[in-house]
Amino acid sequence: MSHMCKMMEGVRKHKGGCHCGRVRFEVTAPTQVTVFECSCDICQKRQSRYFMVDAERFLLLQGHGDLSTFGSSEVKHSFCTTCGVQSFFIPSSGDNTDSVGIMPHCLDPGTLKKIKTKKRNPKKSKENDDPLHRAMATA
């Protein structure tokens, strides 16, 4: 079982993408997921909520040329150049370079049965189990 995505009640293929439809992806993930809601400055401004999957479970179906990317040494944020929606991100350092963060609100309706939210404050948490912010907690 993947350490990024705990199986709770079955796994299936989910499809999703940005608002305008130029960026589309497929991800194999549980039908019940734990979504991280981070309180770091950038995540709060962007209202970032995500769950992590192993990179091998993610496939970008279309939109390779429609993505604009910015980021830090920890993560690369990719946005649709037409509508500006970020539907996924790729960590670029730490324990998660083989994973992808999925924004659950960008999945097509009807495939997720339950979303559990886990609030994270990487600056205050010594036991930071949020995979993206684990490396950032001491920064």
Side-chain angles (χ1 to χ4, degrees), residues 2-51:
S2 165
H3 68 282
M4 290 289 133
C5 205
K6 292 181 182 177
M7 290 184 226
M8 295 171 79
E9 186 193 292
V11 174
R12 67 165 293 159
K13 286 190 179 182
H14 306 271
K15 289 191 178 182
C18 67
H19 177 70
C20 71
R22 289 180 165 261
V23 176
R24 294 290 298 161
F25 65 86
E26 182 177 272
V27 61
T28 302
T31 57
Q32 297 185 27
V33 296
T34 297
V35 171
F36 292 99
E37 184 177 303
C38 182
S39 64
C40 77
D41 292 341
I42 186 124
C43 287
Q44 282 296 295
K45 293 283 186 183
R46 292 178 28 253
Q47 295 291 300
S48 182
R49 296 178 66 226
Y50 58 90
F51 65 94

mmCIF file of all heavy atoms in Angstrom, residues 2-51:
data_model
loop_
_atom_site.group_PDB
_atom_site.id
_atom_site.type_symbol
_atom_site.label_atom_id
_atom_site.label_comp_id
_atom_site.label_asym_id
_atom_site.label_seq_id
_atom_site.Cartn_x
_atom_site.Cartn_y
_atom_site.Cartn_z
ATOM 1 N N SER A 2 0.532 2.214 -0.753
ATOM 2 C CA SER A 2 1.269 3.464 -0.872
ATOM 3 C C SER A 2 1.249 4.239 0.438
ATOM 4 O O SER A 2 0.232 4.333 1.093
ATOM 5 C CB SER A 2 0.647 4.321 -1.980
ATOM 6 O OG SER A 2 1.109 5.632 -1.886
ATOM 7 N N HIS A 3 2.404 4.829 0.787
ATOM 8 C CA HIS A 3 2.433 5.676 1.975
ATOM 9 C C HIS A 3 1.791 7.029 1.704
ATOM 10 O O HIS A 3 1.439 7.751 2.613
ATOM 11 C CB HIS A 3 3.876 5.859 2.456
ATOM 12 C CG HIS A 3 4.724 6.660 1.529
ATOM 13 N ND1 HIS A 3 5.250 6.130 0.374
ATOM 14 C CD2 HIS A 3 5.107 7.947 1.577
ATOM 15 C CE1 HIS A 3 5.938 7.069 -0.252
ATOM 16 N NE2 HIS A 3 5.870 8.175 0.462
ATOM 17 N N MET A 4 1.642 7.417 0.458
ATOM 18 C CA MET A 4 1.063 8.706 0.100
ATOM 19 C C MET A 4 -0.452 8.684 0.131
ATOM 20 O O MET A 4 -1.082 9.678 0.361
ATOM 21 C CB MET A 4 1.483 9.121 -1.325
ATOM 22 C CG MET A 4 2.908 9.485 -1.480
ATOM 23 S SD MET A 4 3.212 11.031 -0.671
ATOM 24 C CE MET A 4 4.669 10.602 0.215
ATOM 25 N N CYS A 5 -1.041 7.550 -0.136
ATOM 26 C CA CYS A 5 -2.492 7.517 -0.291
ATOM 27 C C CYS A 5 -3.017 6.262 0.412
ATOM 28 O O CYS A 5 -2.963 5.179 -0.138
ATOM 29 C CB CYS A 5 -2.796 7.495 -1.786
ATOM 30 S SG CYS A 5 -4.370 8.131 -2.235
ATOM 31 N N LYS A 6 -3.489 6.403 1.627
ATOM 32 C CA LYS A 6 -3.980 5.254 2.379
ATOM 33 C C LYS A 6 -5.312 4.787 1.810
ATOM 34 O O LYS A 6 -6.218 5.571 1.615
ATOM 35 C CB LYS A 6 -4.151 5.633 3.849
ATOM 36 C CG LYS A 6 -2.851 5.895 4.537
ATOM 37 C CD LYS A 6 -3.086 6.244 5.972
ATOM 38 C CE LYS A 6 -1.759 6.554 6.631
ATOM 39 N NZ LYS A 6 -1.926 6.971 8.007
ATOM 40 N N MET A 7 -5.393 3.479 1.567
ATOM 41 C CA MET A 7 -6.635 2.927 1.034
ATOM 42 C C MET A 7 -7.628 2.754 2.163
ATOM 43 O O MET A 7 -7.314 2.174 3.180
ATOM 44 C CB MET A 7 -6.351 1.595 0.365
ATOM 45 C CG MET A 7 -5.582 1.742 -0.911
ATOM 46 S SD MET A 7 -5.397 0.168 -1.701
ATOM 47 C CE MET A 7 -3.682 0.258 -2.110
ATOM 48 N N MET A 8 -8.838 3.272 1.978
ATOM 49 C CA MET A 8 -9.857 3.174 3.009
ATOM 50 C C MET A 8 -11.036 2.327 2.547
ATOM 51 O O MET A 8 -11.549 1.545 3.294
ATOM 52 C CB MET A 8 -10.321 4.568 3.415
ATOM 53 C CG MET A 8 -9.230 5.386 4.079
ATOM 54 S SD MET A 8 -9.701 7.088 4.323
ATOM 55 C CE MET A 8 -10.723 6.940 5.765
ATOM 56 N N GLU A 9 -11.463 2.506 1.309
ATOM 57 C CA GLU A 9 -12.611 1.741 0.838
ATOM 58 C C GLU A 9 -12.545 1.564 -0.665
ATOM 59 O O GLU A 9 -13.437 1.926 -1.390
ATOM 60 C CB GLU A 9 -13.915 2.458 1.189
ATOM 61 C CG GLU A 9 -15.111 1.624 0.831
ATOM 62 C CD GLU A 9 -16.387 2.417 0.872
ATOM 63 O OE1 GLU A 9 -16.797 2.803 1.957
ATOM 64 O OE2 GLU A 9 -16.963 2.639 -0.218
ATOM 65 N N GLY A 10 -11.487 1.019 -1.156
ATOM 66 C CA GLY A 10 -11.392 0.784 -2.578
ATOM 67 C C GLY A 10 -10.696 1.888 -3.325
ATOM 68 O O GLY A 10 -10.607 3.013 -2.880
ATOM 69 N N VAL A 11 -10.183 1.507 -4.460
ATOM 70 C CA VAL A 11 -9.418 2.409 -5.315
ATOM 71 C C VAL A 11 -10.064 2.412 -6.685
ATOM 72 O O VAL A 11 -10.587 1.400 -7.133
ATOM 73 C CB VAL A 11 -7.953 1.909 -5.402
ATOM 74 C CG1 VAL A 11 -7.152 2.707 -6.387
ATOM 75 C CG2 VAL A 11 -7.293 1.957 -4.039
ATOM 76 N N ARG A 12 -10.022 3.567 -7.343
ATOM 77 C CA ARG A 12 -10.565 3.661 -8.699
ATOM 78 C C ARG A 12 -9.826 4.730 -9.469
ATOM 79 O O ARG A 12 -9.077 5.505 -8.899
ATOM 80 C CB ARG A 12 -12.049 3.951 -8.670
ATOM 81 C CG ARG A 12 -12.389 5.330 -8.116
ATOM 82 C CD ARG A 12 -13.793 5.744 -8.407
ATOM 83 N NE ARG A 12 -13.952 5.946 -9.827
ATOM 84 C CZ ARG A 12 -15.093 5.925 -10.473
ATOM 85 N NH1 ARG A 12 -16.207 5.728 -9.838
ATOM 86 N NH2 ARG A 12 -15.165 6.125 -11.757
ATOM 87 N N LYS A 13 -10.079 4.794 -10.755
ATOM 88 C CA LYS A 13 -9.524 5.871 -11.580
ATOM 89 C C LYS A 13 -10.456 7.060 -11.498
ATOM 90 O O LYS A 13 -11.659 6.939 -11.681
ATOM 91 C CB LYS A 13 -9.354 5.421 -13.026
ATOM 92 C CG LYS A 13 -8.191 4.491 -13.197
ATOM 93 C CD LYS A 13 -7.884 4.230 -14.644
ATOM 94 C CE LYS A 13 -6.682 3.307 -14.707
ATOM 95 N NZ LYS A 13 -6.271 3.030 -16.060
ATOM 96 N N HIS A 14 -9.874 8.208 -11.201
ATOM 97 C CA HIS A 14 -10.593 9.473 -11.176
ATOM 98 C C HIS A 14 -10.061 10.303 -12.336
ATOM 99 O O HIS A 14 -8.873 10.234 -12.650
ATOM 100 C CB HIS A 14 -10.308 10.255 -9.881
ATOM 101 C CG HIS A 14 -10.573 9.497 -8.631
ATOM 102 N ND1 HIS A 14 -11.796 9.494 -8.009
ATOM 103 C CD2 HIS A 14 -9.760 8.724 -7.866
ATOM 104 C CE1 HIS A 14 -11.727 8.764 -6.913
ATOM 105 N NE2 HIS A 14 -10.508 8.285 -6.802
ATOM 106 N N LYS A 15 -10.906 11.086 -12.950
ATOM 107 C CA LYS A 15 -10.467 12.036 -13.968
ATOM 108 C C LYS A 15 -10.747 13.437 -13.455
ATOM 109 O O LYS A 15 -11.659 13.641 -12.670
ATOM 110 C CB LYS A 15 -11.167 11.798 -15.299
ATOM 111 C CG LYS A 15 -10.692 10.525 -15.968
ATOM 112 C CD LYS A 15 -11.177 10.413 -17.375
ATOM 113 C CE LYS A 15 -10.609 9.132 -17.985
ATOM 114 N NZ LYS A 15 -11.005 8.993 -19.364
ATOM 115 N N GLY A 16 -9.946 14.375 -13.920
ATOM 116 C CA GLY A 16 -10.137 15.742 -13.487
ATOM 117 C C GLY A 16 -9.367 16.696 -14.359
ATOM 118 O O GLY A 16 -8.762 16.306 -15.359
ATOM 119 N N GLY A 17 -9.402 17.967 -13.985
ATOM 120 C CA GLY A 17 -8.682 18.967 -14.756
ATOM 121 C C GLY A 17 -9.022 20.370 -14.325
ATOM 122 O O GLY A 17 -9.667 20.594 -13.293
ATOM 123 N N CYS A 18 -8.597 21.294 -15.138
ATOM 124 C CA CYS A 18 -8.809 22.715 -14.843
ATOM 125 C C CYS A 18 -10.230 23.135 -15.235
ATOM 126 O O CYS A 18 -11.014 22.350 -15.759
ATOM 127 C CB CYS A 18 -7.769 23.551 -15.588
ATOM 128 S SG CYS A 18 -7.960 23.505 -17.380
ATOM 129 N N HIS A 19 -10.538 24.406 -15.025
ATOM 130 C CA HIS A 19 -11.878 24.934 -15.303
ATOM 131 C C HIS A 19 -12.225 24.928 -16.790
ATOM 132 O O HIS A 19 -13.337 24.550 -17.178
ATOM 133 C CB HIS A 19 -11.983 26.355 -14.745
ATOM 134 C CG HIS A 19 -13.287 27.013 -15.028
ATOM 135 N ND1 HIS A 19 -14.464 26.608 -14.425
ATOM 136 C CD2 HIS A 19 -13.607 28.039 -15.841
ATOM 137 C CE1 HIS A 19 -15.444 27.357 -14.867
ATOM 138 N NE2 HIS A 19 -14.968 28.230 -15.719
ATOM 139 N N CYS A 20 -11.290 25.338 -17.635
ATOM 140 C CA CYS A 20 -11.593 25.457 -19.065
ATOM 141 C C CYS A 20 -11.477 24.132 -19.822
ATOM 142 O O CYS A 20 -11.937 24.036 -20.954
ATOM 143 C CB CYS A 20 -10.697 26.514 -19.716
ATOM 144 S SG CYS A 20 -8.960 26.042 -19.894
ATOM 145 N N GLY A 21 -10.877 23.118 -19.199
ATOM 146 C CA GLY A 21 -10.780 21.803 -19.827
ATOM 147 C C GLY A 21 -9.525 21.562 -20.649
ATOM 148 O O GLY A 21 -9.339 20.473 -21.169
ATOM 149 N N ARG A 22 -8.653 22.543 -20.778
ATOM 150 C CA ARG A 22 -7.415 22.340 -21.543
ATOM 151 C C ARG A 22 -6.477 21.359 -20.854
ATOM 152 O O ARG A 22 -5.779 20.604 -21.517
ATOM 153 C CB ARG A 22 -6.688 23.656 -21.776
ATOM 154 C CG ARG A 22 -7.392 24.555 -22.757
ATOM 155 C CD ARG A 22 -6.601 25.855 -22.925
ATOM 156 N NE ARG A 22 -7.045 26.549 -24.093
ATOM 157 C CZ ARG A 22 -6.434 26.508 -25.274
ATOM 158 N NH1 ARG A 22 -5.351 25.811 -25.429
ATOM 159 N NH2 ARG A 22 -6.924 27.164 -26.287
ATOM 160 N N VAL A 23 -6.433 21.388 -19.518
ATOM 161 C CA VAL A 23 -5.601 20.462 -18.752
ATOM 162 C C VAL A 23 -6.501 19.367 -18.200
ATOM 163 O O VAL A 23 -7.489 19.642 -17.514
ATOM 164 C CB VAL A 23 -4.879 21.191 -17.587
ATOM 165 C CG1 VAL A 23 -4.103 20.201 -16.729
ATOM 166 C CG2 VAL A 23 -3.964 22.285 -18.129
ATOM 167 N N ARG A 24 -6.178 18.118 -18.537
ATOM 168 C CA ARG A 24 -6.948 16.965 -18.065
ATOM 169 C C ARG A 24 -5.972 15.908 -17.570
ATOM 170 O O ARG A 24 -4.896 15.725 -18.135
ATOM 171 C CB ARG A 24 -7.799 16.370 -19.198
ATOM 172 C CG ARG A 24 -8.899 17.273 -19.707
ATOM 173 C CD ARG A 24 -10.034 17.486 -18.739
ATOM 174 N NE ARG A 24 -10.714 16.215 -18.441
ATOM 175 C CZ ARG A 24 -11.491 16.020 -17.387
ATOM 176 N NH1 ARG A 24 -11.695 16.983 -16.521
ATOM 177 N NH2 ARG A 24 -12.065 14.870 -17.195
ATOM 178 N N PHE A 25 -6.360 15.221 -16.515
ATOM 179 C CA PHE A 25 -5.514 14.174 -15.963
ATOM 180 C C PHE A 25 -6.356 13.012 -15.473
ATOM 181 O O PHE A 25 -7.577 13.104 -15.353
ATOM 182 C CB PHE A 25 -4.638 14.712 -14.817
ATOM 183 C CG PHE A 25 -5.404 15.175 -13.614
ATOM 184 C CD1 PHE A 25 -5.777 14.288 -12.607
ATOM 185 C CD2 PHE A 25 -5.765 16.505 -13.483
ATOM 186 C CE1 PHE A 25 -6.487 14.723 -11.502
ATOM 187 C CE2 PHE A 25 -6.476 16.948 -12.381
ATOM 188 C CZ PHE A 25 -6.836 16.046 -11.386
ATOM 189 N N GLU A 26 -5.672 11.917 -15.191
ATOM 190 C CA GLU A 26 -6.283 10.733 -14.614
ATOM 191 C C GLU A 26 -5.418 10.322 -13.431
ATOM 192 O O GLU A 26 -4.193 10.392 -13.498
ATOM 193 C CB GLU A 26 -6.313 9.626 -15.667
ATOM 194 C CG GLU A 26 -6.963 8.346 -15.244
ATOM 195 C CD GLU A 26 -6.990 7.363 -16.403
ATOM 196 O OE1 GLU A 26 -7.948 7.399 -17.193
ATOM 197 O OE2 GLU A 26 -6.019 6.587 -16.504
ATOM 198 N N VAL A 27 -6.049 9.924 -12.351
ATOM 199 C CA VAL A 27 -5.312 9.498 -11.167
ATOM 200 C C VAL A 27 -5.999 8.281 -10.562
ATOM 201 O O VAL A 27 -7.228 8.212 -10.502
ATOM 202 C CB VAL A 27 -5.182 10.645 -10.131
ATOM 203 C CG1 VAL A 27 -6.530 11.110 -9.645
ATOM 204 C CG2 VAL A 27 -4.271 10.257 -8.983
ATOM 205 N N THR A 28 -5.212 7.305 -10.158
ATOM 206 C CA THR A 28 -5.733 6.144 -9.459
ATOM 207 C C THR A 28 -5.567 6.413 -7.968
ATOM 208 O O THR A 28 -4.452 6.615 -7.489
ATOM 209 C CB THR A 28 -4.966 4.865 -9.863
ATOM 210 O OG1 THR A 28 -5.087 4.696 -11.283
ATOM 211 C CG2 THR A 28 -5.524 3.650 -9.156
ATOM 212 N N ALA A 29 -6.687 6.451 -7.260
ATOM 213 C CA ALA A 29 -6.679 6.818 -5.847
ATOM 214 C C ALA A 29 -7.903 6.220 -5.161
ATOM 215 O O ALA A 29 -8.862 5.823 -5.826
ATOM 216 C CB ALA A 29 -6.685 8.339 -5.705
ATOM 217 N N PRO A 30 -7.883 6.197 -3.838
ATOM 218 C CA PRO A 30 -9.047 5.703 -3.106
ATOM 219 C C PRO A 30 -10.286 6.562 -3.357
ATOM 220 O O PRO A 30 -10.174 7.723 -3.765
ATOM 221 C CB PRO A 30 -8.621 5.826 -1.637
ATOM 222 C CG PRO A 30 -7.147 5.847 -1.654
ATOM 223 C CD PRO A 30 -6.781 6.532 -2.935
ATOM 224 N N THR A 31 -11.433 6.004 -3.058
ATOM 225 C CA THR A 31 -12.678 6.765 -3.162
ATOM 226 C C THR A 31 -12.910 7.609 -1.908
ATOM 227 O O THR A 31 -13.771 8.470 -1.906
ATOM 228 C CB THR A 31 -13.879 5.824 -3.377
ATOM 229 O OG1 THR A 31 -13.932 4.893 -2.308
ATOM 230 C CG2 THR A 31 -13.755 5.107 -4.713
ATOM 231 N N GLN A 32 -12.140 7.336 -0.859
ATOM 232 C CA GLN A 32 -12.147 8.145 0.358
ATOM 233 C C GLN A 32 -10.723 8.624 0.589
ATOM 234 O O GLN A 32 -9.812 7.805 0.652
ATOM 235 C CB GLN A 32 -12.619 7.326 1.555
ATOM 236 C CG GLN A 32 -14.044 6.853 1.413
ATOM 237 C CD GLN A 32 -14.530 6.152 2.674
ATOM 238 O OE1 GLN A 32 -14.069 6.420 3.765
ATOM 239 N NE2 GLN A 32 -15.480 5.248 2.496
ATOM 240 N N VAL A 33 -10.530 9.921 0.701
ATOM 241 C CA VAL A 33 -9.181 10.474 0.824
ATOM 242 C C VAL A 33 -9.080 11.422 2.014
ATOM 243 O O VAL A 33 -10.079 11.986 2.461
ATOM 244 C CB VAL A 33 -8.744 11.229 -0.455
ATOM 245 C CG1 VAL A 33 -8.661 10.284 -1.646
ATOM 246 C CG2 VAL A 33 -9.668 12.397 -0.759
ATOM 247 N N THR A 34 -7.860 11.591 2.501
ATOM 248 C CA THR A 34 -7.559 12.607 3.507
ATOM 249 C C THR A 34 -6.899 13.766 2.792
ATOM 250 O O THR A 34 -5.871 13.604 2.150
ATOM 251 C CB THR A 34 -6.630 12.051 4.604
ATOM 252 O OG1 THR A 34 -7.309 10.985 5.277
ATOM 253 C CG2 THR A 34 -6.269 13.142 5.602
ATOM 254 N N VAL A 35 -7.525 14.918 2.882
ATOM 255 C CA VAL A 35 -7.060 16.124 2.210
ATOM 256 C C VAL A 35 -6.351 17.003 3.238
ATOM 257 O O VAL A 35 -6.865 17.214 4.334
ATOM 258 C CB VAL A 35 -8.261 16.878 1.594
ATOM 259 C CG1 VAL A 35 -7.851 18.238 1.081
ATOM 260 C CG2 VAL A 35 -8.873 16.047 0.483
ATOM 261 N N PHE A 36 -5.175 17.491 2.871
ATOM 262 C CA PHE A 36 -4.438 18.405 3.730
ATOM 263 C C PHE A 36 -4.833 19.837 3.415
ATOM 264 O O PHE A 36 -4.909 20.226 2.256
ATOM 265 C CB PHE A 36 -2.929 18.229 3.547
ATOM 266 C CG PHE A 36 -2.441 16.916 4.067
ATOM 267 C CD1 PHE A 36 -2.214 15.852 3.208
ATOM 268 C CD2 PHE A 36 -2.223 16.733 5.422
ATOM 269 C CE1 PHE A 36 -1.773 14.637 3.686
ATOM 270 C CE2 PHE A 36 -1.785 15.517 5.909
ATOM 271 C CZ PHE A 36 -1.554 14.463 5.048
ATOM 272 N N GLU A 37 -5.115 20.584 4.463
ATOM 273 C CA GLU A 37 -5.399 22.011 4.344
ATOM 274 C C GLU A 37 -4.312 22.714 5.156
ATOM 275 O O GLU A 37 -4.325 22.702 6.385
ATOM 276 C CB GLU A 37 -6.773 22.319 4.905
ATOM 277 C CG GLU A 37 -7.190 23.752 4.748
ATOM 278 C CD GLU A 37 -8.597 23.975 5.253
ATOM 279 O OE1 GLU A 37 -9.524 23.306 4.757
ATOM 280 O OE2 GLU A 37 -8.755 24.815 6.158
ATOM 281 N N CYS A 38 -3.368 23.310 4.458
ATOM 282 C CA CYS A 38 -2.204 23.895 5.109
ATOM 283 C C CYS A 38 -2.454 25.357 5.462
ATOM 284 O O CYS A 38 -3.163 26.067 4.761
ATOM 285 C CB CYS A 38 -0.988 23.773 4.204
ATOM 286 S SG CYS A 38 0.509 24.424 4.969
ATOM 287 N N SER A 39 -1.800 25.796 6.538
ATOM 288 C CA SER A 39 -1.944 27.183 6.960
ATOM 289 C C SER A 39 -0.694 28.014 6.685
ATOM 290 O O SER A 39 -0.571 29.114 7.213
ATOM 291 C CB SER A 39 -2.299 27.243 8.448
ATOM 292 O OG SER A 39 -1.240 26.729 9.214
ATOM 293 N N CYS A 40 0.219 27.517 5.859
ATOM 294 C CA CYS A 40 1.366 28.366 5.509
ATOM 295 C C CYS A 40 0.860 29.523 4.634
ATOM 296 O O CYS A 40 -0.245 29.468 4.090
ATOM 297 C CB CYS A 40 2.465 27.571 4.811
ATOM 298 S SG CYS A 40 2.191 27.180 3.087
ATOM 299 N N ASP A 41 1.634 30.569 4.543
ATOM 300 C CA ASP A 41 1.191 31.798 3.874
ATOM 301 C C ASP A 41 0.678 31.565 2.460
ATOM 302 O O ASP A 41 -0.417 31.998 2.113
ATOM 303 C CB ASP A 41 2.324 32.825 3.845
ATOM 304 C CG ASP A 41 2.655 33.343 5.230
ATOM 305 O OD1 ASP A 41 1.816 33.200 6.140
ATOM 306 O OD2 ASP A 41 3.754 33.896 5.406
ATOM 307 N N ILE A 42 1.446 30.877 1.623
ATOM 308 C CA ILE A 42 1.031 30.714 0.219
ATOM 309 C C ILE A 42 -0.197 29.832 0.100
ATOM 310 O O ILE A 42 -1.107 30.119 -0.673
ATOM 311 C CB ILE A 42 2.176 30.217 -0.682
ATOM 312 C CG1 ILE A 42 1.724 30.213 -2.134
ATOM 313 C CG2 ILE A 42 2.642 28.844 -0.305
ATOM 314 C CD1 ILE A 42 2.565 30.988 -3.059
ATOM 315 N N CYS A 43 -0.260 28.775 0.901
ATOM 316 C CA CYS A 43 -1.425 27.880 0.836
ATOM 317 C C CYS A 43 -2.695 28.592 1.292
ATOM 318 O O CYS A 43 -3.767 28.361 0.741
ATOM 319 C CB CYS A 43 -1.186 26.622 1.660
ATOM 320 S SG CYS A 43 -0.008 25.470 0.910
ATOM 321 N N GLN A 44 -2.592 29.437 2.298
ATOM 322 C CA GLN A 44 -3.755 30.187 2.758
ATOM 323 C C GLN A 44 -4.262 31.137 1.681
ATOM 324 O O GLN A 44 -5.457 31.241 1.455
ATOM 325 C CB GLN A 44 -3.414 30.975 4.026
ATOM 326 C CG GLN A 44 -3.391 30.103 5.259
ATOM 327 C CD GLN A 44 -4.761 29.529 5.565
ATOM 328 O OE1 GLN A 44 -5.695 30.252 5.880
ATOM 329 N NE2 GLN A 44 -4.890 28.219 5.465
ATOM 330 N N LYS A 45 -3.360 31.835 1.020
ATOM 331 C CA LYS A 45 -3.766 32.771 -0.043
ATOM 332 C C LYS A 45 -4.435 32.038 -1.200
ATOM 333 O O LYS A 45 -5.362 32.545 -1.813
ATOM 334 C CB LYS A 45 -2.557 33.551 -0.570
ATOM 335 C CG LYS A 45 -1.963 34.492 0.442
ATOM 336 C CD LYS A 45 -2.804 35.722 0.580
ATOM 337 C CE LYS A 45 -2.114 36.716 1.498
ATOM 338 N NZ LYS A 45 -2.885 37.890 1.725
ATOM 339 N N ARG A 46 -3.941 30.837 -1.500
ATOM 340 C CA ARG A 46 -4.463 30.072 -2.635
ATOM 341 C C ARG A 46 -5.603 29.136 -2.236
ATOM 342 O O ARG A 46 -6.160 28.450 -3.078
ATOM 343 C CB ARG A 46 -3.335 29.240 -3.260
ATOM 344 C CG ARG A 46 -2.304 30.067 -3.932
ATOM 345 C CD ARG A 46 -1.141 29.275 -4.533
ATOM 346 N NE ARG A 46 -1.454 27.935 -4.934
ATOM 347 C CZ ARG A 46 -1.045 26.832 -4.271
ATOM 348 N NH1 ARG A 46 -0.331 26.917 -3.195
ATOM 349 N NH2 ARG A 46 -1.355 25.644 -4.722
ATOM 350 N N GLN A 47 -5.911 29.054 -0.928
ATOM 351 C CA GLN A 47 -6.917 28.106 -0.440
ATOM 352 C C GLN A 47 -6.576 26.687 -0.892
ATOM 353 O O GLN A 47 -7.409 25.955 -1.420
ATOM 354 C CB GLN A 47 -8.323 28.505 -0.908
ATOM 355 C CG GLN A 47 -8.795 29.811 -0.343
ATOM 356 C CD GLN A 47 -9.048 29.722 1.151
ATOM 357 O OE1 GLN A 47 -9.876 28.941 1.590
ATOM 358 N NE2 GLN A 47 -8.325 30.501 1.934
ATOM 359 N N SER A 48 -5.331 26.335 -0.720
ATOM 360 C CA SER A 48 -4.818 25.049 -1.186
ATOM 361 C C SER A 48 -5.298 23.893 -0.308
ATOM 362 O O SER A 48 -5.094 23.880 0.893
ATOM 363 C CB SER A 48 -3.285 25.085 -1.192
ATOM 364 O OG SER A 48 -2.773 23.875 -1.677
ATOM 365 N N ARG A 49 -5.932 22.924 -0.948
ATOM 366 C CA ARG A 49 -6.346 21.664 -0.338
ATOM 367 C C ARG A 49 -5.942 20.574 -1.304
ATOM 368 O O ARG A 49 -6.208 20.672 -2.496
ATOM 369 C CB ARG A 49 -7.857 21.640 -0.116
ATOM 370 C CG ARG A 49 -8.319 22.693 0.882
ATOM 371 C CD ARG A 49 -9.824 22.692 1.045
ATOM 372 N NE ARG A 49 -10.241 21.435 1.666
ATOM 373 C CZ ARG A 49 -11.262 20.689 1.231
ATOM 374 N NH1 ARG A 49 -11.961 21.046 0.194
ATOM 375 N NH2 ARG A 49 -11.583 19.574 1.850
ATOM 376 N N TYR A 50 -5.304 19.520 -0.789
ATOM 377 C CA TYR A 50 -4.769 18.498 -1.689
ATOM 378 C C TYR A 50 -4.625 17.168 -0.972
ATOM 379 O O TYR A 50 -4.617 17.095 0.248
ATOM 380 C CB TYR A 50 -3.406 18.927 -2.224
ATOM 381 C CG TYR A 50 -2.408 19.176 -1.120
ATOM 382 C CD1 TYR A 50 -1.609 18.146 -0.656
ATOM 383 C CD2 TYR A 50 -2.306 20.413 -0.509
ATOM 384 C CE1 TYR A 50 -0.739 18.350 0.387
ATOM 385 C CE2 TYR A 50 -1.437 20.629 0.536
ATOM 386 C CZ TYR A 50 -0.654 19.582 0.978
ATOM 387 O OH TYR A 50 0.197 19.788 2.019
ATOM 388 N N PHE A 51 -4.511 16.098 -1.765
ATOM 389 C CA PHE A 51 -4.105 14.795 -1.254
ATOM 390 C C PHE A 51 -2.980 14.296 -2.144
ATOM 391 O O PHE A 51 -2.859 14.704 -3.295
ATOM 392 C CB PHE A 51 -5.276 13.809 -1.157
ATOM 393 C CG PHE A 51 -5.896 13.408 -2.478
ATOM 394 C CD1 PHE A 51 -5.484 12.269 -3.153
ATOM 395 C CD2 PHE A 51 -6.919 14.172 -3.023
ATOM 396 C CE1 PHE A 51 -6.077 11.896 -4.355
ATOM 397 C CE2 PHE A 51 -7.525 13.806 -4.217
ATOM 398 C CZ PHE A 51 -7.089 12.664 -4.883
#
